[in-house]
Amino acid sequence: MKTPSGDFEQNLIAAIPHLRAFARSFANDAARADDLVQETLVKAWNSMHSFTPGTNFRAWLFTILRNAYFSQHRKLRREVDDPHDVHVNSLAVRPEQYGHLDLFDFRTALGGLPPDQREALLLVGAEGFSYEEAAEICGCAVGTIKSRVNRARTRLADVLEVSGAADYGAEPAPTVTKSRGTGS
Amino acid sequence: MATDKSRETREGRVEKPPAKNGNAEAGVQDALGRRLREVYQEVVNEEIPKDFLKLLAELKKRESGGDSQA
């Protein structure tokens, strides 16, 4: 039979890479992040009908992932003694693949951000959600998201400037770029 | 998701030389944004592990074939 889940499934598949990337910003390691994504997929599938068509599907999924993470994490914290609630996000800990020192520094700096700031920055700066969407995903005010993003940016800039932000951009600070080519 | 909005200033626009703080800061933020997307995109670009597709196939099967039907 033809199921309405066909489109849903396709959309889910398309969202998986993004869910994985987002999950890595929470989880300690990539395997755990993937577990979280799988859990998200099951939950999303089971509550397929609660998705409102016309709203942002990916935002809906990110909300589910986030809730799954936090409920799991609360459980986990009761089991494991994790007094400082420190988790290195695994976007930050894959240095072997990245020879570039600056990228490594960047990952470290990103991992050093307070989790709420990192999350806001990733949602807006990397995933491309609007402030409003990010606020909805995180269940907080738009202003809160804005200020988290700003603080995250400032902090990253501070941290990385110490280690030489000048040589850190692939492209140098913008200079006059004449449109050349024609008119020789 | 359209993420291009923050990229548009980069494409060889005519910019003033990096004179004062404002510009330098903008340059840093620009670089940061780029790095951020790179780091994130690395993961997004990874191939979807088979487990995920298997999981979805299973969910679908369960839906169309009754609760415990294999």
Side-chain angles (χ1 to χ4, degrees), chain A residues 5 9 24 102 127 168, chain B residues 34-35 40 46 60 63:
Chain A
S5 61
E9 186 193 5
R24 285 219 200 153
D102 59 354
E127 188 58 55
Y168 157 67
Chain B
R34 207 160 46 231
R35 284 289 181 268
Y40 195 79
E46 283 177 19
K60 207 162 77 168
E63 178 193 67

Side-chain angles (χ1 to χ4, degrees), chain A residues 57-115:
Chain A
F57 184 66
R58 199 177 289 165
W60 182 70
L61 290 174
F62 273 52
T63 309
I64 295 176
L65 185 145
R66 201 176 176 277
N67 290 341
Y69 170 77
F70 282 111
S71 63
Q72 201 182 77
H73 193 61
R74 270 193 297 273
K75 255 185 277 168
L76 214 67
R77 280 179 67 196
R78 263 179 257 128
E79 290 159 20
V80 186
D81 187 30
D82 186 10
H84 302 299
D85 190 14
V86 175
H87 38 270
V88 189
N89 83 83
S90 47
L91 280 174
V93 289
R94 302 171 60 218
E96 68 283 357
Q97 275 176 271
Y98 305 99
H100 304 100
L101 184 64
D102 59 354
L103 256 189
F104 179 65
D105 283 348
F106 183 84
R107 286 161 195 281
T108 309
L110 189 61
L113 289 177

Side-chain angles (χ1 to χ4, degrees), chain A residues 46-58:
Chain A
N46 291 336
S47 46
M48 193 185 297
H49 300 293
S50 75
F51 173 69
T52 314
T55 61
N56 190 321
F57 184 66
R58 199 177 289 165

Side-chain angles (χ1 to χ4, degrees), chain A residues 1 3 5 9 12-13 16-22 24 34-35 37-39 41-42 45-46 48 56 58 62 91 94 98 102-103 106-107 110 121-122 125-130 133 153-154 156-157 160-161 165 168-171 173-179, chain B residues 1-7 9-19 21 23-65:
Chain A
M1 84 179 173
T3 62
S5 61
E9 186 193 5
L12 263 189
I13 291 173
I16 288 174
H18 296 267
L19 289 169
R20 293 183 74 221
F22 186 52
R24 285 219 200 153
D34 277 354
D35 287 348
V37 176
Q38 296 215 4
E39 191 185 337
L41 294 180
V42 173
W45 190 275
N46 291 336
M48 193 185 297
N56 190 321
R58 199 177 289 165
F62 273 52
L91 280 174
R94 302 171 60 218
Y98 305 99
D102 59 354
L103 256 189
F106 183 84
R107 286 161 195 281
L110 189 61
L121 183 67
L122 286 170
E127 188 58 55
F129 285 117
S130 66
E133 286 167 332
R153 285 186 172 141
T154 306
L156 281 183
L160 291 162
E161 215 149 16
Y168 157 67
E171 287 136 307
T175 48
V176 180
T177 320
K178 292 242 169 74
S179 54
Chain B
M1 194 117 330
T3 54
D4 289 344
K5 53 188 170 219
S6 42
R7 250 172 251 174
T9 49
R10 206 169 306 126
E11 309 289 357
R13 293 281 175 83
V14 177
E15 303 281 355
K16 280 167 248 151
N21 282 347
N23 268 343
E25 203 174 298
V28 170
Q29 283 307 332
D30 208 38
L32 285 179
R34 207 160 46 231
R35 284 289 181 268
L36 182 68
R37 288 189 294 272
E38 268 175 44
V39 164
Y40 195 79
Q41 206 59 35
E42 290 279 356
V43 187
V44 173
N45 290 341
E46 283 177 19
E47 202 184 336
I48 300 176
K50 295 226 163 49
D51 291 358
F52 289 90
L53 303 176
K54 264 190 244 166
L55 175 68
L56 287 180
E58 209 163 289
L59 289 168
K60 207 162 77 168
K61 199 161 69 182
R62 217 184 293 167
E63 178 193 67
S64 60

